[in-house]
Amino acid sequence: CWHAQRKTLFVVGDEGDIGEFTTDGALVKQKCIRPSADFEGVTYDPATGLLYVAIEEAESIVEVDPETFEIRREFPLPRQFQGKTLLKAGGEGVEALTFVPDAKHAEGGVFYVGNQAFTLSDEEDISAVFQVELPLRSKTGKTRIMGYFEPGVIDMSALHYDPATDHILAVSDATNLILEYSRAHELLSVHAFPGDNQEGLTIDPEGFLYIAQDTGGIIKLKWLR
């Protein structure tokens, strides 16, 4: 993710690593903060500057201090919504994460969480983007799913909220597509997406798009709107 206050990029790896980089690729710092944890998405809250990392299989989100990389809190994700299992244990698991800030929201905003599924037929492990509320401000509230939408493609691997457009960008690794949605979850555009095993996505204020690849490396390109 792009961190507006620090003017740097944060990247996570699937062995519990987190790194901070400049936009030209220079390493600022790196640390393994939870060995063997499958980190699969990183975002931040612009009001506090704190980072949030999604952990696949554990199906949780950890809160991380960007300066020290200390884990402050952990929030297990619910697997059910309205009495129905949608994120079954032993499924492919959460793969994507972004935060949508909202000053009027009691918790400062909501998270969009992508569940990775390789079929559209499993009703208990759906390929979907979930809106999730965490007790970021209240400290005593519960983590809960607020709603979800189904893009209709498999392998949701990255999410990014773009404050410049107020749109949600979603990536399907298997189909090499980037899908652009309104906040009402209306599909606005679909584009072919470069890279190999694309599992991370962010955009900086200059309009550069960064694609983190699971095979290693970050692609930087100009996002031509």
Side-chain angles (χ1 to χ4, degrees), residues 176-224:
N176 295 310
L177 294 176
I178 181 168
L179 302 92
E180 186 171 11
Y181 288 90
S182 71
R183 287 285 298 281
H185 308 153
E186 174 190 6
L187 181 61
L188 303 174
S189 65
V190 181
H191 305 275
F193 198 51
D196 182 26
N197 296 319
Q198 312 95 323
E199 293 199 356
L201 174 70
T202 195
I203 302 174
D204 70 19
E206 296 182 31
F208 287 101
L209 189 149
Y210 302 83
I211 305 164
Q213 302 180 115
D214 193 43
T215 47
I218 296 173
I219 299 172
K220 179 179 180 179
L221 64 154
K222 191 69 174 180
W223 180 238
L224 301 176

Side-chain angles (χ1 to χ4, degrees), residues 13-223:
D14 56 14
E15 294 295 333
D17 293 284
I18 184 168
E20 183 178 14
F21 294 83
T22 65
T23 56
D24 62 2
L27 177 65
V28 178
K29 62 178 183 289
Q30 181 177 341
K31 185 178 181 180
C32 181
I33 61 174
R34 182 168 289 184
S36 301
D38 193 357
F39 288 172
E40 290 291 350
V42 59
T43 188
Y44 88 112
D45 179 353
T48 64
L50 294 171
L51 301 171
Y52 294 89
V53 179
I55 307 180
E56 189 176 13
E57 296 181 356
E59 315 305 5
S60 66
I61 296 173
V62 291
E63 182 182 76
V64 179
D65 186 313
E67 184 63 35
T68 64
F69 286 162
E70 174 191 3
I71 295 177
R72 295 161 51 101
R73 292 185 289 176
E74 184 165 359
F75 306 93
L77 294 171
R79 296 185 180 276
Q80 293 188 331
F81 177 65
Q82 296 182 343
K84 183 177 180 180
T85 297
L86 299 178
L87 291 162
K88 72 179 181 182
E92 297 300 330
V94 297
E95 190 78 8
L97 181 71
T98 193
F99 182 68
V100 180
D102 182 355
K104 297 179 181 179
H105 192 282
E107 305 295 351
V110 298
F111 291 84
Y112 278 60
V113 179
N115 185 52
Q116 186 180 51
F118 293 110
T119 176
L120 300 179
S121 59
D122 190 341
E123 295 183 354
E124 292 189 342
D125 192 35
I126 64 175
S127 181
V129 178
F130 295 86
Q131 292 172 286
V132 178
E133 181 182 271
L134 302 185
L136 300 184
R137 309 287 192 268
S138 64
K139 312 292 186 181
T140 57
K142 293 183 178 181
T143 301
R144 57 178 182 152
I145 296 174
M146 308 293 292
Y148 68 93
F149 68 95
E150 299 177 76
V153 294
I154 63 169
D155 199 6
M156 302 305 301
S157 60
L159 290 168
H160 173 68
Y161 169 68
D162 185 4
T165 60
D166 197 34
H167 293 166
I168 301 291
L169 301 175
V171 174
S172 168
D173 177 8
T175 59
N176 295 310
L177 294 176
I178 181 168
L179 302 92
E180 186 171 11
Y181 288 90
S182 71
R183 287 285 298 281
H185 308 153
E186 174 190 6
L187 181 61
L188 303 174
S189 65
V190 181
H191 305 275
F193 198 51
D196 182 26
N197 296 319
Q198 312 95 323
E199 293 199 356
L201 174 70
T202 195
I203 302 174
D204 70 19
E206 296 182 31
F208 287 101
L209 189 149
Y210 302 83
I211 305 164
Q213 302 180 115
D214 193 43
T215 47
I218 296 173
I219 299 172
K220 179 179 180 179
L221 64 154
K222 191 69 174 180
W223 180 238

